[in-house]
Amino acid sequence: MSKEGMQSHSLHAFCSWCLQHTEHSLAVPARLGRDHYKCHFCQRRTVPCRLCDHMAKGPDTQASPLFRRYARQLCAEHDGSINAFERPERLPDITKCERLFRRHRPHYLRLAKYTAYVGSGSLAAAGLMLGHDGGAPAVAALLGSTGLLGLTDAGIAISSLSGEALRDASLAAIGGSQAAGKAVIASASGVIGGAYGGNLAYKYHHDDPSFCIRQLSEVPSGKSACLFLNGFLREQDSGFSDWQEQHAHTNRGAALYGVTWSSKSLRSLGFAFGKGVSGHGLQAVLNRAVLLGRRGLLRRLGPMATLTSCYLLAGNPWHVAMVNARTAGRKLADAIAHSPQPSFTLAGHSLGCRVIYFALLELANRRVCKVDDVIFLGGAVGRANAAGWERAAGSVRGTIHNCFSRQDHVLKYLYTSSNLFLSKPIGYSPIIPPIDRIKNHDLTHLVDSHMTWKSHYAAISRIIEAGSSQTDAGARHNEAT
Ligand SMILES: [Zn+2]
Ligand SMILES: [Zn+2]
């Protein structure tokens, strides 16, 4: 089964980066382990999959130094990123995208192999835990190895790492550092039960049955398409009526579509926002804030703490949605790449922006350039990853408009607390690196809470069209705050 020791100068196989069936030429012959190849289409490093003849992602030269040398064990088909390499070339319409995700038959061998992988991952983590005096790094590593934390920013499954890299990647994904270590235990211990339960299966067969794209308005074909993505769902609405009403007041002519994703966790979030949460959750938030020595924070939080502590409740819908956003992003990229529509505008709110961000990264991998403009409203994505934003902007033909408000305290607290106060969201502060295709718009004067972003969509569209954007000097000023 193993490809170790096998040498051939070039081979034809599917590539897990660009998903093309291409030639891969031998780049670095291995003395031990798998040979490294280079894909002729995307020019990135590949290695043979442990389970089949296709190519897994090899070391990512664009990743941060810590992860640069790691190759994936499994190809995109076997790690569950896509359902199959061989899929329809082109969909009749983007709303038919479920054809891309449908499994034709259960893959029993694959399931068995998964179980083996998950099992060995857990054992490694247990070893780490014992070896590291049960401290935060071990907990972080455990979470990482169970797959609960998904991928690193470099796109490597955290569960495929080991040792130092596993620990550091897990801490980075939780948003922790060695200093914040003990606090990680407090926040993570509640999650571990879930990680060993349903979440394991959920990660390894991570299928979001709710993912679909539906058409909201009839427009002559051939026109560009505008896709809306929500960040949480209210009980009463279908999810897109607010976008549609607002869109009617803009000058944008496009066929409208709504992208549904992770609807179960988004409904729980909407419920939590609507009702507030129990005193138990609040207490946990306060304890953690004290642990972190951020006493000043408690004063500033006020009533927001009750809304945002749903992050700590059982089920943890915010965290589940944060993780699901990667999967949804990949599916969205898939749908866009295979759709007949030539151009897209993507508009997202809150966690919906996170889905768009991952979709842009995936489109960049595949060298698909069909997205014209992107509008982020109160986005729940970290703002400081320069390499990531550079790559995301590279897959856009027009501009990424990032709209932020200093009054969006819910986002700020939910996001920063779930990242242990070490990362700030783009919906509260501008995207840091000055990149040509990204424009930051400060809408603090217009938007006074996380829940009101969408009701200002028409006005925001006009502001964007008028070209009133923040200057670089302004962005630098904000960076310092
Ligand atoms: Zn490739
Ligand atoms: Zn494979």
Side-chain angles (χ1 to χ4, degrees), residues 258-281:
V259 181
T260 301
W261 66 285
S262 200
S263 53
K264 204 173 150 213
S265 21
L266 295 194
R267 275 201 197 285
S268 321
L269 276 177
F271 184 75
F273 284 138
K275 296 262 181 185
V277 285
S278 71
H280 173 76

Side-chain angles (χ1 to χ4, degrees), residues 13-24 38-46 365-367:
F14 277 103
C15 165
S16 292
W17 292 107
C18 59
L19 306 185
Q20 302 286 323
H21 194 273
T22 56
E23 193 176 344
H24 301 256
K38 185 173 168 187
C39 166
H40 281 209
F41 184 77
C42 66
Q43 308 294 319
R44 301 183 88 163
R45 288 292 173 87
T46 54
N365 275 345
R366 301 187 199 178
R367 301 167 89 190

Side-chain angles (χ1 to χ4, degrees), residues 368-425:
V368 173
C369 215
K370 289 170 91 175
V371 176
D372 285 329
D373 286 321
V374 176
I375 301 171
F376 288 141
L377 305 181
V381 191
R383 71 195 192 106
N385 179 356
W389 283 113
E390 192 88 49
R391 253 172 67 209
S395 68
V396 173
R397 290 188 291 218
T399 308
I400 295 177
H401 295 281
N402 177 44
C403 305
F404 66 95
S405 167
R406 300 284 189 187
Q407 295 198 71
D408 194 338
H409 300 290
V410 167
L411 173 70
K412 183 192 176 204
Y413 188 68
L414 251 181
Y415 185 87
T416 52
S417 71
S418 63
N419 288 282
L420 286 175
F421 307 98
L422 292 167
S423 165
K424 283 187 187 170

